[in-house]
Amino acid sequence: MISVDDHREAVTKLLGTAPATPLALPECAGLVLAEDVRAGVSLPPFDNSAMDGYAVRAQDIAAASPENPVELPVAADIPAGRVDVPDLLPGTAHRIMTGAPMPPGADSVVMVEETDGGTERVRIRKSVPVDNHVRHIGEDVVKGTVALTAGTVLSHAQLGLAAAVGLDKLTVHRPLKVVVASTGSELIDAPNPLRYGQIYESNSIMLATAIRATGAEVVVVRSVVDDVDEFRAVIEPKLADADLLVTSGGVSAGAYEVVKDALTGSVVFEKIAMQPGGPQGSGRWNGVPVVTLPGNPVSVLVSFEAFLRPALLSAMGHTGVNRQQVRAKLIESMTSPLGRRQFRRGFYTQTEGQVTGIVGPRGGPGSHLLAAFTQANCLIVLPEDVGSVAEGEEVDVLLL
Ligand code: AMP
Ligand code: MG
């Protein structure tokens, strides 16, 4: 048997690293920046007003108070977006809006609330220090400096900053294109009616959703029957520009194992020292990386966590590919097969003020118990050399 860690490394190696490609900003969400981004402009790009009000020379209104307002002529109006900003002459004010450029000669802004709001002349009821409500050029980002570093995961704030410094594209590790295929002659796609012996196909939506959440793109081929020629005929044309084929089902030790039968010679099929998810395979078919998962729905989800998720994330440039792992006190005793790493579905809670949380299993070890997975928020990991854990002992927990 191969260890979980060795298979994970093999799958990670198989996927390699997605090439760096320029993509339009909206397509970059969730992806990883492949190179440093230097700001082509400062932020703010020019001194501007942080308030709606009046640009003035602070010294001109030094004597202003509610009892003795200072009255100044309003010499210009500067809405946001005005590009021909006239100089402010001593003893005058310019009406100015938030984000509008400061007129040369002005050194401060009085907010409109401290004035009578006049448009010809303005009465100012308060003195202000120099730089009041002025946002200075380069306060946020200085032109030419690194605004975003390679390896940054691009979420909304990062994409906003890229847009703010004038970019419409970023060079990212491009999303992998993954073909997800589910196999099994018993599988029926809803809402078609079931006959005795048939079940509804559920792995492909799980895999597609989980894989898309890593940032990859997915094409789904559902419910391929257990026939080698049919399998090849249906899947092969989908692989033209694929980076990875992920299959479910058809890799165990029985007969009619379509994936095994079709791909032996291209893919190495192995038994991994884990439960669930023992039967696994990886290799290349016509040059395209292939990862074959067993068919039971919980095995699929656990295999995704153990192998696919870290490999996909690392291929797309992520460095933090591991789920957060914590120790937790088990609230009921559990057993595990010696020699295998067991991943059990669990529910973890951490009471405020308590350092160590508590965890209990959701459902038994059976890899068909999908409903229990939906009530879990973690995987309880019982290592290979552990046969049982008593209530109250600490275990490793992967937070999902
Ligand atoms: P297999 O690995 O093909 O032997 O399948 C193991 C178990 O998982 C069988 O009970 C299958 O019916 C079930 N199974 C396989 N593929 C799927 C699927 N796509 N959706 C739901 N159940 C499946
Ligand atoms: Mg099958």
Side-chain angles (χ1 to χ4, degrees), residues 209-240:
T209 306
I211 291 170
R212 282 192 187 112
T214 67
E217 292 165 4
V218 176
V219 172
V220 169
V221 188
R222 285 183 89 177
S223 307
V224 184
V225 294
D226 292 325
D227 177 273
V228 168
D229 293 335
E230 176 83 10
F231 176 87
R232 290 207 184 106
V234 173
I235 309 289
E236 238 173 338
K238 305 278 182 191
L239 298 183

Side-chain angles (χ1 to χ4, degrees), residues 51-67:
M51 287 287 169
D52 296 329
Y54 295 84
V56 296
R57 297 198 315 163
Q59 68 187 79
D60 290 346
I61 59 163
S65 68
E67 300 75 37

Side-chain angles (χ1 to χ4, degrees), residues 182-183 186-187 199-203 248-250 252 257 294-297:
S182 57
T183 70
E186 73 279 29
L187 303 176
I199 60 169
Y200 284 121
E201 197 279 313
S202 60
N203 286 345
S248 72
S252 318
E257 304 289 8
N296 273 303

